[in-house]
Protein backbone atom coordinates (compact mmCIF):
# COMPACT_ATOMS: atom_id res chain seq x y z
CA UNK A 1 0.00 0.00 0.00
CA UNK A 2 1.39 3.38 -0.98
CA UNK A 3 1.51 6.25 1.47
CA UNK A 4 -0.29 9.53 0.98
CA UNK A 5 3.16 11.12 0.65
CA UNK A 6 3.83 8.94 -2.42
CA UNK A 7 0.48 9.92 -3.88
CA UNK A 8 1.13 13.61 -3.26
CA UNK A 9 4.64 13.37 -4.71
CA UNK A 10 3.33 11.58 -7.80
CA UNK A 11 0.59 14.17 -8.31
CA UNK A 12 3.03 17.07 -7.97
CA UNK A 13 5.65 15.57 -10.25
CA UNK A 14 3.66 13.93 -13.01
CA UNK A 15 0.09 15.19 -13.24
CA UNK A 16 1.17 18.50 -14.82
CA UNK A 17 2.62 16.49 -17.72
CA UNK A 18 -0.41 14.34 -18.59
CA UNK A 19 -1.31 16.49 -21.58
CA UNK A 20 2.21 16.13 -23.02
CA UNK A 21 2.08 12.38 -22.33
CA UNK A 22 -1.22 12.00 -24.14
CA UNK A 23 -0.05 14.18 -27.01
CA UNK A 24 3.07 12.07 -27.52
CA UNK A 25 1.17 8.77 -27.28
CA UNK A 26 -1.49 9.99 -29.71
CA UNK A 27 1.06 11.12 -32.28
CA UNK A 28 3.09 7.94 -32.04
CA UNK A 29 0.17 5.51 -32.15
CA UNK A 30 -2.22 7.59 -34.26
CA UNK A 31 -5.00 6.17 -32.09
CA UNK A 32 -6.70 8.26 -29.41
CA UNK A 33 -8.12 5.30 -27.52
CA UNK A 34 -4.73 3.58 -27.45
CA UNK A 35 -3.10 6.84 -26.36
CA UNK A 36 -5.45 7.09 -23.39
CA UNK A 37 -4.69 3.49 -22.41
CA UNK A 38 -0.97 4.05 -22.84
CA UNK A 39 -0.99 7.15 -20.64
CA UNK A 40 -2.97 5.32 -17.98
CA UNK A 41 -0.60 2.34 -18.05
CA UNK A 42 2.41 4.68 -18.08
CA UNK A 43 1.13 6.56 -15.04
CA UNK A 44 0.57 3.29 -13.23
CA UNK A 45 4.13 2.22 -14.06
CA UNK A 46 5.50 5.60 -13.00
CA UNK A 47 3.61 5.42 -9.71
CA UNK A 48 4.83 1.87 -9.02
CA UNK A 49 8.41 2.95 -9.83
CA UNK A 50 8.24 6.27 -8.01
CA UNK A 51 10.88 5.08 -5.55
CA UNK A 52 13.31 4.80 -8.49
CA UNK A 53 12.82 8.43 -9.52
CA UNK A 54 15.70 10.22 -7.84
CA UNK A 55 14.68 13.66 -9.02
CA UNK A 56 15.50 15.61 -12.12
CA UNK A 57 13.21 16.08 -15.08
CA UNK A 58 9.87 14.46 -14.24
CA UNK A 59 8.42 15.27 -17.65
CA UNK A 60 11.26 13.53 -19.48
CA UNK A 61 10.97 10.52 -17.15
CA UNK A 62 7.21 10.19 -17.75
CA UNK A 63 7.52 10.75 -21.50
CA UNK A 64 10.19 8.05 -21.67
CA UNK A 65 7.72 5.60 -20.15
CA UNK A 66 4.98 6.79 -22.52
CA UNK A 67 7.30 6.45 -25.51
CA UNK A 68 8.27 2.91 -24.55
CA UNK A 69 4.63 1.94 -23.98
CA UNK A 70 3.67 3.48 -27.33
CA UNK A 71 6.32 1.51 -29.19
CA UNK A 72 5.19 -1.67 -27.44
CA UNK A 73 1.63 -0.95 -28.56
CA UNK A 74 2.79 -0.28 -32.13
CA UNK A 75 4.74 -3.52 -32.16
CA UNK A 76 1.83 -5.54 -30.79
CA UNK A 77 -0.95 -3.88 -32.81
CA UNK A 78 0.47 -4.97 -36.14
CA UNK A 79 -1.29 -2.21 -38.02
CA UNK A 80 -1.06 1.53 -38.46
CA UNK A 81 -4.11 3.34 -37.16
CA UNK A 82 -5.20 6.91 -37.64
CA UNK A 83 -7.18 9.27 -35.46
CA UNK A 84 -8.97 12.54 -36.10
CA UNK A 85 -7.28 15.20 -34.02
CA UNK A 86 -9.45 17.65 -32.14
CA UNK A 87 -8.26 21.02 -33.48
CA UNK A 88 -8.96 22.91 -30.26
CA UNK A 89 -6.96 20.44 -28.18
CA UNK A 90 -3.92 20.65 -30.45
CA UNK A 91 -3.69 24.46 -30.36
CA UNK A 92 -1.13 25.85 -27.95
CA UNK A 93 -1.97 28.91 -25.87
CA UNK A 94 0.26 30.92 -28.21
CA UNK A 95 -1.74 29.67 -31.23
CA UNK A 96 -5.04 30.45 -29.51
CA UNK A 97 -3.85 33.99 -28.76
CA UNK A 98 -2.86 34.40 -32.41
CA UNK A 99 -6.47 33.76 -33.40
CA UNK A 100 -7.46 37.29 -32.50
CA UNK A 101 -10.78 38.97 -33.14
CA UNK A 102 -9.16 41.21 -35.75
CA UNK A 103 -8.45 38.30 -38.11
CA UNK A 104 -10.82 38.03 -41.02
CA UNK A 105 -12.64 34.76 -41.74
CA UNK A 106 -10.44 34.37 -44.82
CA UNK A 107 -7.23 34.68 -42.75
CA UNK A 108 -8.58 32.21 -40.19
CA UNK A 109 -9.62 29.78 -42.92
CA UNK A 110 -6.21 29.95 -44.61
CA UNK A 111 -4.47 29.45 -41.28
CA UNK A 112 -6.59 26.38 -40.49
CA UNK A 113 -6.05 24.92 -43.98
CA UNK A 114 -2.30 25.37 -43.63
CA UNK A 115 -2.41 23.75 -40.21
CA UNK A 116 -4.41 20.80 -41.55
CA UNK A 117 -1.94 20.29 -44.39
CA UNK A 118 0.94 20.40 -41.93
CA UNK A 119 -0.74 17.81 -39.69
CA UNK A 120 -1.47 15.67 -42.74
CA UNK A 121 2.18 15.84 -43.81
CA UNK A 122 3.36 15.11 -40.28
CA UNK A 123 1.24 11.95 -40.23
CA UNK A 124 3.18 10.58 -43.21
CA UNK A 125 6.57 10.71 -41.47
CA UNK A 126 8.14 7.53 -40.07
CA UNK A 127 7.63 7.30 -36.31
CA UNK A 128 11.29 7.97 -35.38
CA UNK A 129 11.25 11.29 -37.21
CA UNK A 130 7.70 12.21 -36.22
CA UNK A 131 8.44 11.72 -32.52
CA UNK A 132 11.43 14.10 -32.43
CA UNK A 133 9.49 16.77 -34.30
CA UNK A 134 6.57 16.39 -31.88
CA UNK A 135 8.84 16.55 -28.84
CA UNK A 136 10.80 19.56 -30.18
CA UNK A 137 8.14 21.64 -31.89
CA UNK A 138 4.91 20.80 -30.06
CA UNK A 139 6.23 19.91 -26.61
CA UNK A 140 9.08 22.44 -26.84
CA UNK A 141 11.62 20.08 -25.29
CA UNK A 142 15.36 20.69 -25.47
CA UNK A 143 17.69 18.38 -27.37
CA UNK A 144 18.92 17.07 -24.03
CA UNK A 145 15.38 16.28 -22.87
CA UNK A 146 14.55 14.59 -26.17
CA UNK A 147 17.73 12.52 -25.90
CA UNK A 148 16.68 11.44 -22.41
CA UNK A 149 13.17 10.49 -23.60
CA UNK A 150 14.30 8.62 -26.70
CA UNK A 151 17.42 7.09 -25.22
CA UNK A 152 19.68 8.23 -28.05
CA UNK A 153 22.63 10.68 -28.11
CA UNK A 154 21.95 14.37 -28.67
CA UNK A 155 23.67 14.15 -32.07
CA UNK A 156 21.20 11.48 -33.13
CA UNK A 157 18.32 13.67 -31.95
CA UNK A 158 19.63 16.57 -34.02
CA UNK A 159 20.16 14.31 -37.02
CA UNK A 160 16.66 12.83 -36.78
CA UNK A 161 15.18 16.29 -36.34
CA UNK A 162 17.00 17.59 -39.42
CA UNK A 163 15.99 14.54 -41.45
CA UNK A 164 12.41 14.73 -40.19
CA UNK A 165 12.15 18.39 -41.09
CA UNK A 166 13.57 17.64 -44.53
CA UNK A 167 11.02 14.85 -45.07
CA UNK A 168 8.25 17.12 -43.80
CA UNK A 169 9.32 19.88 -46.21
CA UNK A 170 9.40 17.37 -49.09
CA UNK A 171 5.91 16.14 -48.20
CA UNK A 172 4.54 19.69 -47.95
CA UNK A 173 6.04 20.60 -51.31
CA UNK A 174 4.37 17.53 -52.83
CA UNK A 175 1.01 18.55 -51.32
CA UNK A 176 1.30 22.11 -52.65
CA UNK A 177 2.54 21.00 -56.08
Amino acid sequence: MRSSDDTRRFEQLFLPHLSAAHNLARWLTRNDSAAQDIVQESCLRAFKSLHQFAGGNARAWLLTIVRNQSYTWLKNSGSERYVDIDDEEMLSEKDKAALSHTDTPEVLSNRMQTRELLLQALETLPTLFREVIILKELEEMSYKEIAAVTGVPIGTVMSRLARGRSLLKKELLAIYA
Side-chain angles (χ1 to χ4, degrees), residues 135-172:
L135 292 172
K136 181 67 177 157
E137 303 302 338
L138 298 182
E139 295 304 326
E140 299 176 350
M141 295 181 84
S142 68
Y143 293 130
K144 185 177 179 181
E145 290 171 320
I146 296 169
V149 169
T150 59
V152 298
I154 290 176
T156 302
V157 169
M158 294 187 318
S159 174
R160 285 182 185 173
L161 190 55
R163 179 76 192 274
R165 286 174 175 159
S166 176
L167 291 171
L168 188 60
K169 179 180 176 182
K170 182 179 176 183
E171 186 64 30
L172 287 169

Short mmCIF file of all heavy atoms in Angstrom, two decimals, residues 135-172:
data_model
loop_
_atom_site.label_atom_id
_atom_site.label_comp_id
_atom_site.label_asym_id
_atom_site.label_seq_id
_atom_site.Cartn_x
_atom_site.Cartn_y
_atom_site.Cartn_z
N LEU A 135 8.22 16.18 -30.11
CA LEU A 135 8.84 16.55 -28.84
C LEU A 135 9.49 17.94 -28.91
O LEU A 135 9.42 18.71 -27.96
CB LEU A 135 9.86 15.50 -28.42
CG LEU A 135 9.27 14.15 -28.03
CD1 LEU A 135 10.39 13.12 -27.82
CD2 LEU A 135 8.39 14.25 -26.79
N LYS A 136 10.11 18.26 -30.04
CA LYS A 136 10.80 19.56 -30.18
C LYS A 136 9.82 20.70 -30.45
O LYS A 136 9.86 21.72 -29.77
CB LYS A 136 11.85 19.47 -31.31
CG LYS A 136 12.63 20.76 -31.51
CD LYS A 136 13.52 21.06 -30.34
CE LYS A 136 14.35 22.30 -30.58
NZ LYS A 136 14.78 22.89 -29.33
N GLU A 137 8.97 20.53 -31.43
CA GLU A 137 8.14 21.64 -31.89
C GLU A 137 6.84 21.79 -31.11
O GLU A 137 6.43 22.91 -30.83
CB GLU A 137 7.84 21.50 -33.39
CG GLU A 137 9.08 21.41 -34.26
CD GLU A 137 10.03 22.59 -34.14
OE1 GLU A 137 9.63 23.68 -33.71
OE2 GLU A 137 11.22 22.40 -34.47
N LEU A 138 6.19 20.70 -30.77
CA LEU A 138 4.91 20.80 -30.06
C LEU A 138 5.09 20.80 -28.54
O LEU A 138 4.39 21.52 -27.84
CB LEU A 138 3.96 19.68 -30.48
CG LEU A 138 3.55 19.67 -31.95
CD1 LEU A 138 2.57 18.55 -32.23
CD2 LEU A 138 2.97 21.01 -32.37
N GLU A 139 6.00 19.98 -28.05
CA GLU A 139 6.23 19.91 -26.61
C GLU A 139 7.34 20.84 -26.15
O GLU A 139 7.60 20.96 -24.96
CB GLU A 139 6.53 18.47 -26.18
CG GLU A 139 5.37 17.52 -26.40
CD GLU A 139 4.09 17.96 -25.72
OE1 GLU A 139 4.16 18.56 -24.62
OE2 GLU A 139 3.01 17.71 -26.27
N GLU A 140 8.03 21.46 -27.10
CA GLU A 140 9.08 22.44 -26.84
C GLU A 140 10.16 21.92 -25.88
O GLU A 140 10.62 22.62 -24.99
CB GLU A 140 8.47 23.74 -26.32
CG GLU A 140 7.52 24.37 -27.31
CD GLU A 140 6.83 25.62 -26.79
OE1 GLU A 140 6.92 25.93 -25.58
OE2 GLU A 140 6.18 26.29 -27.62
N MET A 141 10.57 20.68 -26.11
CA MET A 141 11.62 20.08 -25.29
C MET A 141 12.98 20.43 -25.88
O MET A 141 13.12 20.64 -27.08
CB MET A 141 11.44 18.56 -25.22
CG MET A 141 10.17 18.13 -24.51
SD MET A 141 10.00 16.34 -24.41
CE MET A 141 10.98 16.04 -22.94
N SER A 142 13.99 20.44 -25.02
CA SER A 142 15.36 20.69 -25.47
C SER A 142 15.92 19.41 -26.09
O SER A 142 15.38 18.33 -25.91
CB SER A 142 16.22 21.11 -24.28
OG SER A 142 16.39 20.02 -23.39
N TYR A 143 17.03 19.56 -26.80
CA TYR A 143 17.69 18.38 -27.37
C TYR A 143 18.06 17.39 -26.27
O TYR A 143 17.92 16.18 -26.44
CB TYR A 143 18.96 18.77 -28.14
CG TYR A 143 18.70 19.59 -29.39
CD1 TYR A 143 19.39 20.76 -29.61
CD2 TYR A 143 17.79 19.17 -30.36
CE1 TYR A 143 19.18 21.51 -30.77
CE2 TYR A 143 17.58 19.91 -31.50
CZ TYR A 143 18.27 21.08 -31.71
OH TYR A 143 18.06 21.81 -32.83
N LYS A 144 18.53 17.92 -25.17
CA LYS A 144 18.92 17.07 -24.03
C LYS A 144 17.73 16.30 -23.49
O LYS A 144 17.84 15.10 -23.21
CB LYS A 144 19.55 17.94 -22.93
CG LYS A 144 20.09 17.16 -21.76
CD LYS A 144 20.74 18.10 -20.76
CE LYS A 144 21.26 17.32 -19.56
NZ LYS A 144 21.87 18.21 -18.57
N GLU A 145 16.59 16.96 -23.36
CA GLU A 145 15.38 16.28 -22.87
C GLU A 145 14.91 15.22 -23.86
O GLU A 145 14.52 14.13 -23.47
CB GLU A 145 14.26 17.30 -22.62
CG GLU A 145 14.50 18.21 -21.44
CD GLU A 145 13.48 19.33 -21.35
OE1 GLU A 145 13.10 19.90 -22.40
OE2 GLU A 145 13.07 19.63 -20.22
N ILE A 146 14.96 15.55 -25.15
CA ILE A 146 14.55 14.59 -26.17
C ILE A 146 15.47 13.38 -26.15
O ILE A 146 15.03 12.24 -26.26
CB ILE A 146 14.51 15.24 -27.57
CG1 ILE A 146 13.45 16.34 -27.60
CG2 ILE A 146 14.23 14.19 -28.65
CD1 ILE A 146 13.52 17.21 -28.85
N ALA A 147 16.77 13.62 -25.99
CA ALA A 147 17.73 12.52 -25.90
C ALA A 147 17.41 11.62 -24.71
O ALA A 147 17.49 10.39 -24.82
CB ALA A 147 19.15 13.06 -25.80
N ALA A 148 17.03 12.23 -23.60
CA ALA A 148 16.68 11.44 -22.41
C ALA A 148 15.42 10.61 -22.67
O ALA A 148 15.35 9.44 -22.28
CB ALA A 148 16.47 12.36 -21.21
N VAL A 149 14.42 11.19 -23.32
CA VAL A 149 13.17 10.49 -23.60
C VAL A 149 13.38 9.35 -24.58
O VAL A 149 12.88 8.25 -24.39
CB VAL A 149 12.09 11.47 -24.13
CG1 VAL A 149 10.88 10.72 -24.67
CG2 VAL A 149 11.66 12.42 -23.02
N THR A 150 14.13 9.61 -25.64
CA THR A 150 14.30 8.62 -26.70
C THR A 150 15.43 7.63 -26.45
O THR A 150 15.51 6.60 -27.11
CB THR A 150 14.52 9.31 -28.06
OG1 THR A 150 15.69 10.13 -27.97
CG2 THR A 150 13.32 10.14 -28.47
N GLY A 151 16.31 7.99 -25.53
CA GLY A 151 17.42 7.09 -25.22
C GLY A 151 18.50 7.05 -26.29
O GLY A 151 19.19 6.04 -26.44
N VAL A 152 18.64 8.15 -27.02
CA VAL A 152 19.68 8.23 -28.05
C VAL A 152 20.54 9.46 -27.78
O VAL A 152 20.12 10.38 -27.08
CB VAL A 152 19.08 8.30 -29.48
CG1 VAL A 152 18.30 7.04 -29.80
CG2 VAL A 152 18.23 9.53 -29.67
N PRO A 153 21.77 9.51 -28.31
CA PRO A 153 22.63 10.68 -28.11
C PRO A 153 22.02 11.94 -28.71
O PRO A 153 21.22 11.88 -29.65
CB PRO A 153 23.92 10.31 -28.84
CG PRO A 153 23.89 8.83 -29.00
CD PRO A 153 22.45 8.44 -29.06
N ILE A 154 22.45 13.08 -28.19
CA ILE A 154 21.95 14.37 -28.67
C ILE A 154 22.21 14.52 -30.17
O ILE A 154 21.37 15.05 -30.91
CB ILE A 154 22.56 15.54 -27.87
CG1 ILE A 154 22.00 15.54 -26.45
CG2 ILE A 154 22.30 16.87 -28.55
CD1 ILE A 154 22.62 16.58 -25.53
N GLY A 155 23.36 14.07 -30.64
CA GLY A 155 23.67 14.15 -32.07
C GLY A 155 22.66 13.39 -32.91
O GLY A 155 22.28 13.84 -34.00
N THR A 156 22.21 12.25 -32.42
CA THR A 156 21.20 11.48 -33.13
C THR A 156 19.88 12.22 -33.14
O THR A 156 19.16 12.23 -34.15
CB THR A 156 21.04 10.08 -32.49
OG1 THR A 156 22.31 9.42 -32.51
CG2 THR A 156 20.02 9.24 -33.24
N VAL A 157 19.54 12.86 -32.02
CA VAL A 157 18.32 13.67 -31.95
C VAL A 157 18.38 14.76 -33.00
O VAL A 157 17.43 14.96 -33.76
CB VAL A 157 18.13 14.29 -30.54
CG1 VAL A 157 17.03 15.34 -30.55
CG2 VAL A 157 17.84 13.21 -29.51
N MET A 158 19.49 15.48 -33.05
CA MET A 158 19.63 16.57 -34.02
C MET A 158 19.57 16.05 -35.45
O MET A 158 18.94 16.66 -36.31
CB MET A 158 20.92 17.35 -33.76
CG MET A 158 20.89 18.07 -32.43
SD MET A 158 22.25 19.20 -32.04
CE MET A 158 23.69 18.36 -32.58
N SER A 159 20.18 14.90 -35.69
CA SER A 159 20.16 14.31 -37.02
C SER A 159 18.75 13.90 -37.42
O SER A 159 18.29 14.17 -38.53
CB SER A 159 21.08 13.09 -37.04
OG SER A 159 20.99 12.41 -38.26
N ARG A 160 18.03 13.25 -36.49
CA ARG A 160 16.66 12.83 -36.78
C ARG A 160 15.75 14.04 -36.98
O ARG A 160 14.86 14.02 -37.83
CB ARG A 160 16.10 11.97 -35.64
CG ARG A 160 16.66 10.57 -35.63
CD ARG A 160 16.05 9.75 -34.52
NE ARG A 160 16.68 8.44 -34.46
CZ ARG A 160 16.44 7.56 -33.50
NH1 ARG A 160 15.59 7.83 -32.54
NH2 ARG A 160 17.07 6.39 -33.51
N LEU A 161 15.99 15.08 -36.21
CA LEU A 161 15.18 16.29 -36.34
C LEU A 161 15.42 16.93 -37.71
O LEU A 161 14.47 17.31 -38.40
CB LEU A 161 15.51 17.27 -35.22
CG LEU A 161 14.60 18.47 -35.06
CD1 LEU A 161 13.15 18.05 -34.90
CD2 LEU A 161 15.03 19.29 -33.86
N ALA A 162 16.68 17.02 -38.12
CA ALA A 162 17.00 17.59 -39.42
C ALA A 162 16.40 16.74 -40.55
O ALA A 162 15.79 17.27 -41.49
CB ALA A 162 18.51 17.70 -39.60
N ARG A 163 16.54 15.44 -40.43
CA ARG A 163 15.99 14.54 -41.45
C ARG A 163 14.47 14.61 -41.47
O ARG A 163 13.85 14.64 -42.53
CB ARG A 163 16.48 13.11 -41.18
CG ARG A 163 15.97 12.09 -42.16
CD ARG A 163 16.70 12.19 -43.50
NE ARG A 163 16.04 11.41 -44.53
CZ ARG A 163 16.24 10.13 -44.76
NH1 ARG A 163 17.11 9.46 -44.04
NH2 ARG A 163 15.59 9.52 -45.71
N GLY A 164 13.87 14.64 -40.28
CA GLY A 164 12.41 14.73 -40.19
C GLY A 164 11.89 16.02 -40.80
O GLY A 164 10.89 16.02 -41.52
N ARG A 165 12.56 17.11 -40.51
CA ARG A 165 12.15 18.39 -41.09
C ARG A 165 12.29 18.38 -42.61
O ARG A 165 11.46 18.93 -43.33
CB ARG A 165 12.97 19.53 -40.49
CG ARG A 165 12.56 19.87 -39.07
CD ARG A 165 13.48 20.90 -38.47
NE ARG A 165 13.03 21.32 -37.14
CZ ARG A 165 13.82 21.87 -36.25
NH1 ARG A 165 15.09 22.11 -36.52
NH2 ARG A 165 13.33 22.21 -35.07
N SER A 166 13.36 17.75 -43.10
CA SER A 166 13.57 17.64 -44.53
C SER A 166 12.46 16.81 -45.18
O SER A 166 11.92 17.18 -46.23
CB SER A 166 14.94 17.01 -44.81
OG SER A 166 15.12 16.80 -46.18
N LEU A 167 12.10 15.69 -44.55
CA LEU A 167 11.02 14.85 -45.07
C LEU A 167 9.69 15.58 -45.01
O LEU A 167 8.87 15.47 -45.93
CB LEU A 167 10.93 13.54 -44.28
CG LEU A 167 12.07 12.55 -44.47
CD1 LEU A 167 11.97 11.41 -43.46
CD2 LEU A 167 12.08 12.02 -45.89
N LEU A 168 9.48 16.34 -43.95
CA LEU A 168 8.25 17.12 -43.80
C LEU A 168 8.17 18.19 -44.90
O LEU A 168 7.11 18.37 -45.52
CB LEU A 168 8.20 17.77 -42.41
CG LEU A 168 6.92 18.46 -42.01
CD1 LEU A 168 5.74 17.50 -42.02
CD2 LEU A 168 7.09 19.06 -40.60
N LYS A 169 9.27 18.86 -45.15
CA LYS A 169 9.32 19.88 -46.21
C LYS A 169 9.01 19.23 -47.57
O LYS A 169 8.22 19.77 -48.34
CB LYS A 169 10.70 20.53 -46.24
CG LYS A 169 10.86 21.58 -47.31
CD LYS A 169 12.26 22.17 -47.27
CE LYS A 169 12.49 23.16 -48.40
NZ LYS A 169 13.85 23.70 -48.39
N LYS A 170 9.62 18.07 -47.82
CA LYS A 170 9.40 17.37 -49.09
C LYS A 170 7.92 17.00 -49.23
O LYS A 170 7.33 17.17 -50.31
CB LYS A 170 10.27 16.12 -49.13
CG LYS A 170 10.18 15.33 -50.39
CD LYS A 170 11.11 14.13 -50.35
CE LYS A 170 10.94 13.27 -51.57
NZ LYS A 170 11.79 12.08 -51.51
N GLU A 171 7.33 16.51 -48.16
CA GLU A 171 5.91 16.14 -48.20
C GLU A 171 5.01 17.35 -48.43
O GLU A 171 4.06 17.29 -49.20
CB GLU A 171 5.53 15.44 -46.88
CG GLU A 171 4.13 14.88 -46.86
CD GLU A 171 3.88 13.77 -47.88
OE1 GLU A 171 4.83 13.03 -48.21
OE2 GLU A 171 2.74 13.65 -48.34
N LEU A 172 5.32 18.46 -47.77
CA LEU A 172 4.54 19.69 -47.95
C LEU A 172 4.66 20.22 -49.38
O LEU A 172 3.68 20.69 -49.96
CB LEU A 172 4.95 20.75 -46.94
CG LEU A 172 4.49 20.50 -45.52
CD1 LEU A 172 5.17 21.46 -44.56
CD2 LEU A 172 2.98 20.61 -45.40
#
